[in-house]
């Protein structure tokens, strides 16, 4: 099968590129772009983790709901239980609760949720719930014990400048989360043809004791777990393994150990199973570095990698203390079990080795997020009026969790908000333009039975698709904009307003009458001015003739009428 033949090697020639990377590496070493939330930490609290030095903050400003809970004391005593696991945020209310995290659109992130139940609710019942990223399902959570720590990781490029991580209640216990972490990655690493990559395993092979490594050993804070394969031998070096030529930069401590076979003729094999009836694609990343100083003449290590018996890559000749990463360019698909085999080449005198590998499953995030302008508009509407509803996550998707009071429609591959119903929602203040007017696909707007004041703004008649507008049972005043009345008259709009506002045909006449009245007032003013001017002019003439008594009156007139008069007297 041809699909196993394509691969990508990340081991660039040294020289210039190496120098540049070293400089960047130093400058960016300190948690640049890391977002590290210890969920359930009291608001405004933060600390630096003792082992990793990572700075964790409270999650309170990233989520509006949930309760802060402590795990039972017996789960804190184990030294392996990191501080991030001591508290959780649990979500007893609502079907969907979401974190809203601002970040940089287009940047590749490793997003990791960490979960340990720790009997925080004293119920001793392990919950089952789902995890969503934006409008799409990411994974399900199921715990084996109260002390089990589950890490869910996905490598994802957000298309907007925020991301929603949502916990979904499936009526099988209350969702909760212990920690949420985001780490920017280099966007030309972990490239998939489609979808995002959910971690299956990240394994450090060849170590002799079980351990995990992460930041600061790993500058991207990937978590590597050591694993020993039976029938394998362990090789290691105490020297530093150089990663600077490989953009994946697996940590030196991970690369300094390698698994190998006991004799050169035995192949090094491992496999993973795909869940039944799951056609997801997989990506594997293998990291290699020679850790033994080979005798120049007699020793040579080279091997071929096959997957399910098909040639995949080779010959691999690992460089001494210099790592390289081999990955597939397209997803591995179509098998229930994936067997990887490393076999020496004919002239190789040494067995194959592998230092570390990662396996990811493709998660197709098919549902696009709701149109960004609509999301901003509805969010700002929510903030402006202090709407008290469980409005979280994407407003329109998944369809089961569309915001209460909204209806949406898919348009040009993104969803648009078509209906906003905030009737009987205790809204105060005026109906103001900037936000609602940006909901340009709105077909129906119901703001009835609130305490809205002021007049009905004109912008409502500019909403191009509006067919239903309900404003009754408010404290609105004034007249209804003429265009709304016309739309209602020709039945392109179903308009309902309180009877004290003029909305009938006669009301339209009334406002025209008012305009006429205004016009006639203006006309009257001109007539008065002209008359006054005429009087003044004639008085002036008389003044020239010299009539002292009337002269005093002239001065008064002059003061009263001001500059307009002067125009006429020039
Ligand atoms: C990575 O990001 C840079 C700048 O942000 C962009 O120019 C480049 O096209 C991106 N590469 C990939 C593979 O997405
Ligand atoms: C390296 O190998 C030596 C000897 O085989 C062993 O004692 C040591 O524990 C190994 N170190 C690691 C980190 O595995
Ligand atoms: C490995 O196989 C070769 C021939 O394929 C044989 O000559 C050699 O003795 C074998 N070595 C071991 C250790 O079995
Ligand atoms: C081993 O064989 C390959 C070709 O099969 C060749 O390119 C390589 O140079 C050989 N290595 C040694 C050390 O003979
Ligand atoms: C809504 O807007 C506020 C203020 O601009 C912002 O802090 C918040 O993250 C936004 N929320 C959503 C869901 O867009
Ligand atoms: C939607 O598609 C139409 C044509 O297919 C295009 O004219 C319009 O600009 C698109 N609208 C958006 C918001 O992308
Ligand atoms: C999401 O958007 C992309 C690109 O615009 C499009 O190809 C895809 O069909 C859209 N998906 C859905 C479910 O509308
Ligand atoms: C808005 O919601 C209320 C109560 O849920 C309902 O009675 C009313 O018909 C809705 N308005 C529209 C325009 O659907
Ligand atoms: C109007 O809203 C009030 C509460 O704000 C509610 O009690 C009442 O039932 C609502 N009336 C209608 C007709 O929906
Ligand atoms: C309305 O949408 C436009 C883009 O279509 C945006 O530039 C503007 O800032 C939005 N207005 C408000 C008040 O959000
Ligand atoms: C109804 O009146 C409005 C406002 O004058 C106008 O824009 C619209 O085209 C009219 N619609 C029909 C169906 O006549």
């Amino acid at each position: 099968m041809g699909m196993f033949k394509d691969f990508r090697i990340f081991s660039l020639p040294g020289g210039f590129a190496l120098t540049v990377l070293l400089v960047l590496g130093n400058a960016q070493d300190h948690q640049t772009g890391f977002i590290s939330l210890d969920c359930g930490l009291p608001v405004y609290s933060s600390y630096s983790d003792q082992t990793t030095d990572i700075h964790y903050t409270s999650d309170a400003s990233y989520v509006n709901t949930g309760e802060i809970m402590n795990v039972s004391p017996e789960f804190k005593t184990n030294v392996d239980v990191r501080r991030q696991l001591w508290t959780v945020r649990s979500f007893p209310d609502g079907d969907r609760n979401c974190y809203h995290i601002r970040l940089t659109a287009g940047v590749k992130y490793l997003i990791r949720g960490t979960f340990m139940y720790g009997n925080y609710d004293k119920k001793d019942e392990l919950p089952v719930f789902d995890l969503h990223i934006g409008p799409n399902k990411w994974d399900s959570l199921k715990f084996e014990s109260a002390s089990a720590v589950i890490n869910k990781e996905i490598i994802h490029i957000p298309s907007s400048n925020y991301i929603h991580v949502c916990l979904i209640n499936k009526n099988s216990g209350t969702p909760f989360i212990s920690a949420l972490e985001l780490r920017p990655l280099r966007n030309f690493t972990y490239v998939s043809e489609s979808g995002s990559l959910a971690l299956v395993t990240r394994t450090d092979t060849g170590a002799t004791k079980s351990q995990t490594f992460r930041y600061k050993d790993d500058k991207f804070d990937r978590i590597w777990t050591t694993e020993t394969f039976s029938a394998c031998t362990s090789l290691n070096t105490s020297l530093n393994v150089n990663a600077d030529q490989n953009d994946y930069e697996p940590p030196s401590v991970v690369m300094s150990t390698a698994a190998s076979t006991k004799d050169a003729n035995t192949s090094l094999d491992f496999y993973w199973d795909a869940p039944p009836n799951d056609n997801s694609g997989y990506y594997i990343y293998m990291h290699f570095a020679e850790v033994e100083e080979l005798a120049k003449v007699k020793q040579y290590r080279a091997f071929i990698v096959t997957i399910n018996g098909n040639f995949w890559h080779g010959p691999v000749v690992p460089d001494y203390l210099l790592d390289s990463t081999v990955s597939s360019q397209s997803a591995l698909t179509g098998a229930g079990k994936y067997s990887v085999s490393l076999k020496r080449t004919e002239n190789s005198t040494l067995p194959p080795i592998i230092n570390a590998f990662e396996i990811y499953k493709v998660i197709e995030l098919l549902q696009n997020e709701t149109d960004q302008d609509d999301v901003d508009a509805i969010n700002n509407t929510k903030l402006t009026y202090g709407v008290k509803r469980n409005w979280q996550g994407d407003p329109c998707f998944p369809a089961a969790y569309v915001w209460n009071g909204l209806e949406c429609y898919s348009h040009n591959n993104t969803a648009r908000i078509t209906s906003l119903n905030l009737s009987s929602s205790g809204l105060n203040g005026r109906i103001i333009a900037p936000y609602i007017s940006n909901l340009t696909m709105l077909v129906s707007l119901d703001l009835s039975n609130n305490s809205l004041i002021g007049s009905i703004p004109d912008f409502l008649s500019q909403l191009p698709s509006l067919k239903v507008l309900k404003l009754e049972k408010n404290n609105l005043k004034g007249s209804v904009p003429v265009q709304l009345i016309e739309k209602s008259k020709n039945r392109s709009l179903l308009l309902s307003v309180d009877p004290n506002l003029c909305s009938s045909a006669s009301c339209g006449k009334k406002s025209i009458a008012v305009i006429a009245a205004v016009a006639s007032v203006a006309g009257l003013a001109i007539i008065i001015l002209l008359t006054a001017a005429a009087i003044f002019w004639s008085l002036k003439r008389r003044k020239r003739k010299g009539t002292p008594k009337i002269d005093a009156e002239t001065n008064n007139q002059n003061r009263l009428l001001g500059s307009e008069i002067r125009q006429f007297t020039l």
Side-chain angles (χ1 to χ4, degrees), residues 300 345 347-348:
Y300 180 64
T345 60
N347 59 1
S348 172

Side-chain angles (χ1 to χ4, degrees), residues 228-262:
T228 48
F229 293 147
S230 56
C232 278
T233 55
S234 295
L235 306 178
N236 72 49
T237 177
S238 55
L239 299 173
N240 209 45
V241 179
N242 194 342
D244 288 324
Q245 293 186 35
N246 180 352
D247 286 311
Y248 287 88
E249 288 194 51
S252 177
V253 65
V254 166
M255 295 304 287
S256 65
T257 60
S260 184
T261 51
K262 291 195 176 80

Side-chain angles (χ1 to χ4, degrees), residues 423-426 448-450 473:
S423 71
S424 312
S425 301
S448 61
N449 195 28
N450 287 297
K473 303 205 185 81

Side-chain angles (χ1 to χ4, degrees), residues 205-491:
T205 55
T208 46
K209 60 177 178 182
S210 75
Q211 248 180 305
T212 59
F213 299 107
R214 59 184 294 182
Y215 193 79
K216 291 177 179 175
D217 290 317
D218 189 319
K219 68 183 289 184
F220 302 110
D221 195 29
R222 291 162 296 192
I223 298 176
W224 302 82
T225 307
T226 59
E227 192 155 336
T228 48
F229 293 147
S230 56
C232 278
T233 55
S234 295
L235 306 178
N236 72 49
T237 177
S238 55
L239 299 173
N240 209 45
V241 179
N242 194 342
D244 288 324
Q245 293 186 35
N246 180 352
D247 286 311
Y248 287 88
E249 288 194 51
S252 177
V253 65
V254 166
M255 295 304 287
S256 65
T257 60
S260 184
T261 51
K262 291 195 176 80
D263 71 84
N265 286 356
T266 310
S267 62
L268 198 165
D269 299 325
F270 60 94
Y271 69 91
W272 75 94
D273 288 316
N277 305 319
D278 184 346
N279 298 320
S280 304
Y282 289 89
Y283 282 82
I284 182 164
Y285 299 83
M286 299 184 200
H287 307 284
F288 300 107
E290 183 57 74
V291 292
E292 291 188 313
E293 198 165 12
L294 308 183
K296 286 238 160 53
V297 194
K298 291 194 195 109
Q299 289 190 307
Y300 180 64
R301 193 192 312 274
F303 51 90
I304 301 291
V305 183
T306 62
I307 298 182
N308 289 352
N310 300 292
F311 174 85
W312 186 69
H313 182 60
V316 179
V317 184
D319 287 323
Y320 183 54
L321 302 182
L322 204 59
D323 66 40
S324 63
T325 295
V326 178
S327 72
S328 24
Q329 222 158 18
S330 51
L332 305 168
T333 54
K337 175 176 179 173
Y338 295 88
S339 298
V340 179
S341 187
L342 281 58
K343 290 191 187 82
R344 73 168 179 92
T345 60
E346 246 167 48
N347 59 1
S348 172
T349 59
L350 294 167
I353 60 168
I354 187 164
N355 308 59
F357 62 88
E358 296 168 83
I359 297 166
Y360 293 86
K361 177 173 155 172
V362 177
I363 305 278
E364 299 287 1
L365 303 176
L366 290 175
Q367 182 57 63
N368 293 324
E369 274 153 2
T370 301
D371 179 80
Q372 177 92 57
D373 283 341
D374 276 10
V375 171
D376 290 345
I378 197 73
N379 179 39
N380 284 318
T381 303
K382 169 186 160 188
L383 295 174
T384 307
Y385 292 104
V387 176
K388 288 183 184 56
R389 293 193 186 182
N390 187 20
W391 278 9
Q392 298 192 44
D394 190 90
C396 298
F397 290 107
Y401 304 107
V402 60
W403 287 5
N404 180 9
L406 294 193
E407 282 171 31
C408 305
Y409 162 75
S410 269
H411 177 79
N412 282 13
N413 299 327
T414 67
R416 300 296 309 267
I417 295 168
T418 55
S419 171
L420 172 60
N421 188 343
L422 286 172
S423 71
S424 312
S425 301
L427 308 187
N428 293 304
R430 294 168 174 276
I431 304 173
I432 52 170
Y435 307 130
I436 291 176
S437 63
N438 256 14
L439 294 171
T440 51
M441 292 294 280
L442 218 49
V443 173
S444 167
L445 176 63
D446 189 344
L447 299 174
S448 61
N449 195 28
N450 287 297
S451 309
L452 295 167
I453 56 165
S455 59
I456 298 177
D458 225 22
F459 78 82
L460 292 174
S461 63
Q462 308 303 319
L463 286 169
S465 310
L466 200 66
K467 300 272 181 295
V468 178
L469 177 60
K470 303 188 104 203
L471 299 171
E472 76 271 17
K473 303 205 185 81
N474 277 296
N475 305 322
L476 297 167
K477 287 204 177 64
S479 62
V480 180
V482 178
Q483 277 206 309
L484 285 180
I485 293 164
E486 279 178 11
K487 283 190 180 179
S488 147
K489 260 160 57 185
N490 70 14
R491 302 185 180 213

